[in-house]
Amino acid sequence: MSEATAKQGPDTRARILDAAEALFMTHGFEATSMRMITGQAGVNLAAVNYHFGSKDALIQEVFRRRLTELNRDRLAALEAEEAVAGGAPLKPSKIVAAFFGVSLKMAADTEHGGATFMRLLGRTYTEPNEFVRQFLAEEYAEVVQRFMDALYRALPDVPREEILWRFHFMMGAMSYAIAGTDALKLFAGDFDDEDPARLMPRLMSFLLGGLRAPLPEEVVDQNTQRRDAA
Amino acid sequence: MSEATAKQGPDTRARILDAAEALFMTHGFEATSMRMITGQAGVNLAAVNYHFGSKDALIQEVFRRRLTELNRDRLAALEAEEAVAGGAPLKPSKIVAAFFGVSLKMAADTEHGGATFMRLLGRTYTEPNEFVRQFLAEEYAEVVQRFMDALYRALPDVPREEILWRFHFMMGAMSYAIAGTDALKLFAGDFDDEDPARLMPRLMSFLLGGLRAPLPEEVVDQNTQRRDAA
DNA sequence: GTATGATTCAAACGAACGTTTGAACAGGAC
DNA sequence: GTCCTGTTCAAACGTTCGTTTGAATCATAC
């Protein structure tokens, strides 16, 4: 028991984070107790408070560890496309692929728990926990701004408000796409799992179809009406 | 104090259901305690267990009360379109409008708590609580089957698996649409609320654009490959 | 060896949880 | 009046929660 077989395997911190991430996904934040986490991680109950300070701080750290990497990759993907384009506006398909491609890539990584995290993340946008939402907003601010700017340039004729909404819709579709077959089985019991590699092209077709759909008539109407009335 | 001013206002049951629905949306299931519910409802703590048996049964009843009405309306909308079409396959736009139109109509009903419930429902598809998921599956089985059949007839050339996935994506987009401006503000601080009536045409354009998008090449490739190989 | 700082451990803390209990109160039927 | 059924109430039940404590254990430097 000299080197590989240390007393407790890898770092206690990392083991706690992995266990917490998996359990948060399965049971949610509130329903996951410290004793479940430390039990699954094989560490002492007090280890969480020692290493992270509190349960809330642990939740925050679970997100930060992944989200930092995720958003860095997203920005890198966008900048790679922008470098290729060399100043010219990007095609919408490139922008969408950069953002959601990175998401689905992490979601496909079952090896290192990326799939677990992405499903957790997808649920969290709409979840109520106040400080988690606040934290998400801060972590996302820069990335979303960059991608929205790219979309504004790519679609100069589309009202910005409309792009914002459609980006929002796309996030929803992606979230459900990643939540995946479990949710699908909810209303299609005969549905059978399949190659997750086919999810990306499927989702991308849908997203681009939605993004480039003709603007709703009512929006045009209301815009002109607004200029006339009031 | 003879008629309108009864001892405790309206039915205790209904007051509990309303309070629980609102609190579940704000805090989630686990984070909402019986004492919070009974406190907000202005009833005794034991009233929940007396009227519903348990907290789980209360959750179930919160969903049943709304979901029964929601799915009845959805089926009615579909059948109304089918009656107009008279045996002919429906247009996809009619089918989508029937399903999601009813959803957004309830989501727009802030008066009777429909908005509260729809946001709660949107979160619940992907939420972990086992028996809530089971209950949702049962409540949705018939309606989804009917709408999927209508879509199969409307799009006979599209593989059924593909339709199922796109319906899933549409559910995700709708869920985020209803979660709405709160989530939007997450990554667009300058975003200002607006007329919720404009949400429906916006979402509908996006959904139909996604539903009718060209099939991803990979799917076609893989289909032919599957026929050749294996 | 001993001293030092970081980490782990078993045990306990008070608070909040869902639920149960048994008495009190209501309003008809007789 | 008495009885009965449905409902409300204050109080307590046992359990589990997140957190804290102080001693034990480790690794490393001297």
Side-chain angles (χ1 to χ4, degrees):
Chain A
M1 66 167 79
S2 55
E3 35 171 277
T5 329
K7 187 195 172 193
Q8 173 121 226
D11 212 11
T12 301
R13 267 184 67 96
R15 307 190 60 186
I16 292 175
L17 285 173
D18 290 338
E21 187 176 275
L23 287 167
F24 286 156
M25 197 218 78
T26 312
H27 305 99
F29 297 120
E30 306 280 349
T32 301
S33 69
M34 311 275 278
R35 286 162 180 83
M36 290 166 68
I37 296 171
T38 52
Q40 173 143 329
V43 302
N44 187 272
L45 169 62
V48 171
N49 285 287
Y50 175 78
H51 283 282
F52 299 94
S54 68
K55 184 185 180 182
D56 279 357
L58 170 62
I59 295 176
Q60 205 150 329
E61 192 55 33
V62 165
F63 275 90
R64 189 188 307 278
R65 181 177 65 150
R66 296 279 185 182
L67 221 56
T68 303
E69 174 194 356
L70 183 68
N71 281 334
R72 173 169 39 73
D73 290 353
R74 288 206 256 235
L75 278 182
L78 181 64
E79 282 162 5
E81 292 292 345
E82 283 173 340
V84 171
L90 293 178
K91 288 175 63 179
S93 62
K94 298 291 186 188
I95 303 170
V96 172
F99 190 93
F100 295 101
V102 170
S103 309
L104 264 63
K105 186 164 158 243
M106 180 174 272
D109 174 26
T110 54
E111 192 81 18
H112 305 90
T116 299
F117 173 72
M118 285 307 294
R119 296 176 62 177
L120 174 61
L121 178 62
R123 260 200 288 114
T124 309
Y125 287 105
T126 51
E127 221 162 14
N129 191 318
E130 181 58 40
F131 88 99
V132 171
R133 285 171 54 88
Q134 185 64 32
F135 173 70
L136 272 189
E138 292 168 10
E139 285 287 318
Y140 261 99
E142 182 195 354
V143 175
V144 169
Q145 192 57 54
R146 289 286 303 276
F147 274 85
M148 291 305 298
D149 287 343
L151 282 175
Y152 292 156
R153 292 187 62 207
L155 303 166
D157 297 333
V158 182
R160 295 193 166 203
E161 211 174 5
E162 212 66 31
I163 295 180
L164 188 57
W165 273 105
R166 291 194 171 183
F167 190 78
H168 188 49
F169 296 156
M170 287 192 283
M171 295 277 287
M174 177 197 69
S175 171
Y176 270 44
I178 288 172
T181 52
D182 282 0
L184 256 182
K185 280 177 185 162
L186 254 186
F187 41 76
D190 58 333
F191 180 79
D192 54 337
D193 298 51
E194 53 174 64
D195 184 11
R198 293 172 69 181
L199 179 57
M200 175 68 179
R202 253 199 258 271
L203 177 63
M204 206 56 64
S205 297
F206 180 88
L207 294 183
L208 288 174
L211 177 61
R212 294 191 288 220
L215 292 183
E217 299 173 11
E218 283 81 345
V219 170
V220 181
D221 288 356
Q222 216 145 344
N223 278 347
T224 52
Q225 280 180 9
R226 278 197 172 179
R227 201 161 302 160
D228 299 346
Chain B
M1 61 166 82
S2 54
E3 34 170 272
T5 329
K7 186 195 172 192
Q8 174 122 227
D11 212 14
T12 300
R13 269 184 65 97
R15 306 189 60 185
I16 292 175
L17 285 172
D18 290 339
E21 187 175 276
L23 288 168
F24 286 155
M25 198 218 77
T26 313
H27 304 100
F29 297 120
E30 305 281 349
T32 301
S33 70
M34 311 275 277
R35 286 164 179 82
M36 291 165 69
I37 296 171
T38 52
Q40 173 143 327
V43 303
N44 186 271
L45 169 61
V48 171
N49 285 288
Y50 176 78
H51 283 282
F52 299 94
S54 68
K55 185 185 181 184
D56 279 357
L58 170 62
I59 296 177
Q60 204 152 329
E61 191 55 31
V62 166
F63 275 89
R64 188 189 307 279
R65 180 177 66 152
R66 297 278 186 183
L67 221 54
T68 302
E69 174 193 356
L70 184 67
N71 281 333
R72 174 170 37 75
D73 290 354
R74 287 206 257 235
L75 279 183
L78 181 64
E79 282 162 3
E81 291 294 345
E82 283 173 338
V84 171
L90 293 178
K91 288 175 62 179
S93 62
K94 297 292 187 187
I95 302 171
V96 172
F99 191 93
F100 295 100
V102 170
S103 309
L104 263 65
K105 187 164 158 241
M106 181 175 271
D109 174 26
T110 55
E111 190 81 20
H112 305 89
T116 300
F117 173 72
M118 285 308 293
R119 295 176 63 177
L120 174 61
L121 179 61
R123 259 200 290 114
T124 308
Y125 287 106
T126 52
E127 219 161 11
N129 191 316
E130 181 58 39
F131 89 97
V132 170
R133 285 170 54 88
Q134 185 63 31
F135 174 71
L136 272 188
E138 292 168 10
E139 286 287 317
Y140 261 99
E142 182 195 353
V143 175
V144 169
Q145 193 55 55
R146 290 285 304 274
F147 274 84
M148 290 305 297
D149 287 344
L151 282 175
Y152 293 156
R153 292 187 63 205
L155 303 165
D157 298 333
V158 182
R160 294 192 166 199
E161 213 175 5
E162 212 65 32
I163 296 180
L164 188 56
W165 272 105
R166 293 195 170 180
F167 190 78
H168 188 49
F169 296 156
M170 287 193 282
M171 294 279 285
M174 176 196 72
S175 172
Y176 271 44
I178 288 172
T181 52
D182 282 359
L184 256 181
K185 279 177 185 160
L186 252 186
F187 41 75
D190 59 333
F191 180 80
D192 54 336
D193 297 51
E194 53 175 60
D195 183 9
R198 292 171 71 182
L199 179 57
M200 174 67 179
R202 253 199 259 270
L203 178 63
M204 207 56 64
S205 296
F206 180 87
L207 294 183
L208 288 174
L211 178 61
R212 294 191 288 220
L215 292 183
E217 299 172 12
E218 283 81 345
V219 171
V220 181
D221 288 354
Q222 218 144 341
N223 277 347
T224 54
Q225 279 179 8
R226 277 197 175 178
R227 202 161 305 162
D228 298 346

